Amino acid sequence: MTSEPLSRKRIVAAAIELIEREGADAVSMRRIAAELGVGVMSLYNHVPNKDALLSGVAESVLSEIEFTDDPAAHWTDRVRIQARAFRQIAHHYPRSTMLVVSRQLHSNAGLLPVERALATLRSAGFDGPEAVKMLRMFIAFIVGTLLREVGVTPSFAPMPATLRADQVDPELFPTVAELAPMLDRCDPDEEFDFGVELLVQAISVHRERAPGEPDALPGSAAPSPERLG
């Protein structure tokens, strides 16, 4: 029985499997060759170097996201759908997710979510600079959430460390002691939706502000006393 011919797709798939088992630090051209049972030099006929291989992993994972879109839906609903679609990679490929969010991809797979997000924001009436800033804001939130969920390092554990009220000095940290039971619980799905909803509502308010009304964002003029009253 003839084994499957070596190809870029097969090499990338082997890298993804290795990353999900042991993390991205385990990847090397020699290790991937061993996983596939081939000579290391044969890999270079399909992938020029490790950096290209890691980009291939990110593109492969990203290409599996289902970016469904309904142009007829309200722009806020489209933003929610797109944010949740991106997050699905953390469920299917938790460790490979970090490559997706840490590498600058210029392929079709890498540019598609950017195009969808910017087009949605522009259709809502935001100008170019606003759309770009809002996209970056969402990316920062999503990346931070994924870092916590996949536990890329101990500092970003998937769930908070066990924290009991009797472990906290209530004299020094009264608020932490009071909320310790809540700090010890985390529903990733609920908290992600909560964060997305806060961002959507914030940019909705920004979108609906009256023409000429002072912007509440940093660097803008403060509202007048009359408006505060």
Side-chain angles (χ1 to χ4, degrees):
M1 181 176 180
T2 304
S3 61
E4 181 182 352
L6 191 62
S7 64
R8 183 179 185 276
K9 181 178 180 180
R10 188 179 168 206
I11 295 169
V12 168
I16 292 174
E17 291 179 7
L18 179 59
I19 290 170
E20 292 306 316
R21 290 200 315 268
E22 302 180 25
D25 289 343
V27 175
S28 69
M29 300 297 275
R30 187 174 300 279
R31 181 66 187 278
I32 296 300
E35 293 280 321
L36 293 171
V38 300
V40 66
M41 295 307 296
S42 64
L43 299 185
Y44 294 101
N45 294 324
H46 306 278
V47 182
N49 49 51
K50 178 182 174 180
D51 185 68
L53 175 57
L54 294 179
S55 290
V57 167
E59 291 171 1
S60 178
V61 170
L62 195 57
S63 68
E64 293 190 27
I65 299 178
E66 297 180 4
F67 282 107
T68 56
D69 193 19
D70 180 6
H74 193 271
W75 69 268
T76 55
D77 291 328
R78 295 174 68 189
V79 167
R80 294 183 184 100
I81 291 170
Q82 290 167 19
R84 290 165 186 156
F86 189 84
R87 181 173 175 263
Q88 73 176 306
I89 61 176
H91 288 222
H92 300 304
Y93 304 102
R95 290 185 167 180
S96 299
T97 293
M98 290 304 98
L99 287 176
V100 174
V101 300
S102 66
R103 301 185 77 81
Q104 187 72 36
L105 302 177
H106 299 289
S107 63
N108 290 346
L111 293 176
L112 177 59
V114 177
E115 171 65 26
R116 290 279 178 83
L118 290 177
T120 298
L121 293 168
R122 290 302 302 275
S123 70
F126 296 108
D127 62 23
E130 287 178 323
V132 169
K133 290 176 184 176
M134 289 174 184
L135 172 61
R136 289 174 176 160
M137 177 182 66
F138 267 95
I139 290 175
F141 166 72
I142 292 172
V143 169
T145 300
L146 296 182
L147 283 171
R148 182 185 64 190
E149 286 190 42
V150 305
V152 64
T153 68
S155 298
F156 292 99
M159 299 290 284
T162 300
L163 182 66
R164 300 195 314 269
D166 60 8
Q167 295 176 312
V168 180
D169 185 338
E171 295 294 328
L172 292 176
F173 311 106
T175 309
V176 173
E178 176 190 356
L179 301 180
M182 297 173 213
L183 291 171
D184 191 35
R185 296 193 303 269
C186 179
D187 182 328
D189 293 330
E190 180 183 353
E191 295 207 359
F192 183 84
D193 287 341
F194 178 78
V196 169
E197 197 59 34
L198 281 182
L199 291 177
V200 168
Q201 290 183 24
I203 62 178
S204 294
V205 171
H206 180 66
R207 169 69 180 82
E208 300 302 326
R209 72 185 189 279
E213 181 177 339
D215 199 336
L217 296 177
S220 62
S224 65
E226 291 78 10
R227 287 196 60 80
L228 292 174

